[in-house]
Amino acid sequence: MSSNHQMFQRAQTLMPGGVNSPVRAFKSVGGEPFFTARADGPYLWDVEGKRYIDFVGSWGPMIVGHNHPAVRESVARAIGHGLSFGTPCPAEITMAETISKLVPSIEVSRMVNSGTEATMSAIRLARGFTGRSRIVKFEGCYHGHGDAFLVKAGSGALTFGTPTSPGVPKALADLTLTLPFNDFDAATRMFDEVGSDIAGLIVEPVPGNMNCIPPRDGYLQHLRNLCTKHGALLIFDEVMTGFRVALGGAQAHYGITPDLTTLGKIIGGGMPVGAYGGKREIMNQIAPAGPIYQAGTLSGNPVAMAAGLAMLELIQAPGFHAELSRRTQLLVDGLQALADGAGIAFSTTRVGGMFGLFFSDEKIETYAQATACDTARFNRFFKAMLDRGVYLAPSAYEAGFMSMAHDEQIIADTLQAARSAFATLNSA
Ligand code: KE4
């Protein structure tokens, strides 16, 4: 049996960086990734047989734990009827009905195959619906790898976009304006200056790609008001927060109604699924109901729908999100107490079943604060926890994810590992 190292050596000759998605390569934390052989409940096992308590959960989908029997059996039943039809199928109707029931702002939805497809399509729809070209995003927020999103704040008051990746034309990046998250005045100033040119503002209502940074009180309402006033669409990218921070997502948790919502991760139950949706009059501009084109060979795939529907059924159990939140709070409170006891500057954030860990004694509310944290110390903590059988997200700028398979014993085991891991930070 090959070792993790042997596999990574070979993988690097076959895939860019040896991975099919960059963050998996452990570049920001150092060292080499392990290769997972199987997963079950709260655990991953690598090809060397080492077991990890997993707080990444495939980057969010595994909210009921890995390999849940109900999801597995639903997929097995669907596979028995065929893998893909390329025609409409009943499961797509059930999925659309379920989404609208759980997220009432989504009157009409379209399935796609990733969060990136969902956000790319939502942006195209906002531009087509409004006839405007500019979009607004937030520094530190990630919406997938669509060209329009690979843009960082440029210089100057209008923060014209500057590509963060080769291959993104400057002309396109210029159409993406960037704001600092949780800054009320900056958003007001931008909309006062160019509000009539803005097709849509896309935001992670709880950013989870600059670590986990909750919105300040009233901030999402402020964005809602600005978009309404200036005729721009408010797009909540709930690929990560959807069905995780509350059953109805962040829009239910904070009581804000966006014009469009993008979904992914949990909605697929571990299979490749994304979706976007919103008001009927907006969504019915999408082909073939309207002129704005978007399509996908495997969109609404029956096996993927079966996995997603089984997971969406499980998370509707009475008290599911309250208990998930309680367990997440138990974890972050335990970590905070251990860090305090070890005299380590540390703070945490939590919304529902997602959390953030920061090596700083500040309350982290902005991208600037997040990037000023002690990432070197995070990286040492990450490695120490991995050595002790706990897998945190391999980056100081990712959120952590709780699942209902992580019971109190698993959390206690995690805190036991953390006690020892924190101690190593003081010894070096
Ligand atoms: P995908 O195209 O990776 O399915 O979704 C893109 C996306 C869109 N919106 C939000 C808020 C997201 O968090 C994501 C993807 N999240 C990352 C984790 N930070 C996926 C992990 C990866 O890139 O491998």
Side-chain angles (χ1 to χ4, degrees):
M1 169 68 80
S2 298
S3 69
N4 287 311
H5 175 68
Q6 287 166 330
M7 286 209 168
F8 193 49
Q9 292 301 102
R10 174 134 180 75
Q12 289 178 92
T13 68
L14 297 163
M15 294 166 275
V19 292
N20 281 313
S21 197
V23 72
R24 302 178 190 171
F26 279 27
K27 278 210 170 304
S28 67
V29 290
E32 295 186 345
F34 59 86
F35 282 65
T36 298
R38 70 183 181 93
D40 198 77
Y43 299 119
L44 298 174
W45 284 264
D46 70 18
V47 292
E48 297 173 10
K50 183 170 181 184
R51 190 188 72 178
Y52 306 89
I53 297 173
D54 175 22
F55 285 101
V56 180
S58 183
W59 300 98
M62 296 298 137
I63 195 169
V64 295
H66 289 286
N67 197 25
H68 191 291
V71 178
R72 195 174 61 241
E73 284 151 23
S74 176
V75 167
R77 279 195 302 276
I79 285 173
H81 301 304
L83 290 171
S84 182
F85 310 136
T87 70
C89 71
E92 293 172 294
I93 296 174
T94 313
M95 176 59 86
E97 286 171 339
T98 304
I99 290 171
S100 294
K101 182 183 80 170
L102 299 181
V103 190
S105 72
I106 300 180
E107 296 173 333
V108 174
S109 60
R110 167 62 61 87
M111 305 310 294
V112 292
N113 300 282
S114 69
T116 294
E117 265 195 270
T119 56
M120 282 168 59
S121 307
I123 289 299
R124 181 181 307 136
L125 173 55
R127 286 172 161 155
F129 181 76
T130 62
R132 302 173 180 180
S133 298
R134 280 179 167 174
I135 62 162
V136 177
K137 73 174 289 289
F138 292 83
E139 205 159 18
C141 283
Y142 176 70
H143 304 290
H145 64 86
D147 283 350
F149 306 119
L150 299 181
V151 172
K152 68 176 184 294
S155 59
L158 274 187
T159 61
F160 283 116
T162 304
T164 57
S165 166
V168 176
K170 181 79 174 73
L172 182 63
D174 279 345
L175 294 175
T176 300
L177 303 174
T178 307
L179 283 170
F181 186 75
N182 269 336
D183 183 330
F184 288 70
D185 293 342
T188 304
R189 277 197 305 276
M190 176 177 285
F191 272 84
D192 286 347
E193 286 186 40
V194 294
S196 58
D197 294 343
I198 295 170
L201 176 148
I202 187 167
V203 64
E204 292 179 60
V206 181
N209 289 285
M210 49 173 138
N211 210 310
C212 176
I213 297 186
R216 284 175 170 145
D217 288 351
Y219 186 65
L220 297 176
Q221 186 60 59
H222 181 59
L223 299 179
R224 173 66 277 174
N225 297 343
L226 287 172
C227 287
T228 302
K229 179 181 175 185
H230 294 274
L233 298 190
L234 176 61
I235 304 168
F236 270 15
D237 178 355
E238 297 226 40
V239 167
M240 188 182 282
T241 56
F243 313 111
R244 174 163 287 279
V245 302
L247 180 57
Q251 56 195 272
H253 184 75
Y254 293 103
I256 304 289
T257 302
D259 299 302
L260 293 175
T261 300
T262 57
L263 298 169
K265 298 180 190 287
I266 291 168
I267 193 177
M271 301 290 280
V273 176
Y276 63 104
K279 290 176 180 161
R280 186 177 306 279
E281 84 168 303
I282 301 174
M283 283 302 294
N284 282 344
Q285 292 300 306
I286 291 288
I292 302 170
Y293 198 71
Q294 181 270 313
T297 302
L298 296 174
S299 298
N301 171 274
V303 178
M305 294 296 100
L309 284 168
M311 187 167 283
L312 293 179
E313 191 61 37
L314 289 166
I315 68 170
Q316 293 178 67
F320 180 95
H321 285 84
E323 176 58 14
L324 187 78
S325 297
R326 186 188 72 82
R327 296 185 191 184
T328 311
Q329 194 63 49
L330 194 62
L331 174 70
V332 297
D333 286 349
L335 291 170
Q336 187 67 62
L338 289 169
D340 293 348
I344 289 169
F346 184 80
S347 65
T348 67
T349 55
R350 180 195 66 81
V351 184
M354 66 191 273
F355 61 93
L357 309 179
F358 300 91
F359 282 87
S360 164
D361 51 13
E362 284 190 327
K363 180 185 178 191
I364 304 300
E365 295 184 297
T366 67
Y367 177 65
Q369 285 179 299
T371 52
C373 290
D374 189 341
T375 48
R377 217 164 206 205
F378 170 85
N379 292 349
R380 286 170 49 214
F381 182 69
F382 168 83
K383 182 75 172 63
M385 289 292 268
L386 196 67
D387 291 345
R388 291 160 177 78
V390 177
Y391 177 48
L392 299 172
S395 162
Y397 300 108
E398 295 288 351
F401 301 103
M402 182 59 72
S403 94
M404 283 298 256
H406 291 69
D407 60 22
E408 297 209 4
Q409 184 55 56
I410 296 289
I411 294 169
D413 294 345
T414 303
L415 295 175
Q416 190 62 32
R419 178 188 302 278
S420 161
F422 279 125
T424 66
L425 301 185
N426 279 327
S427 55

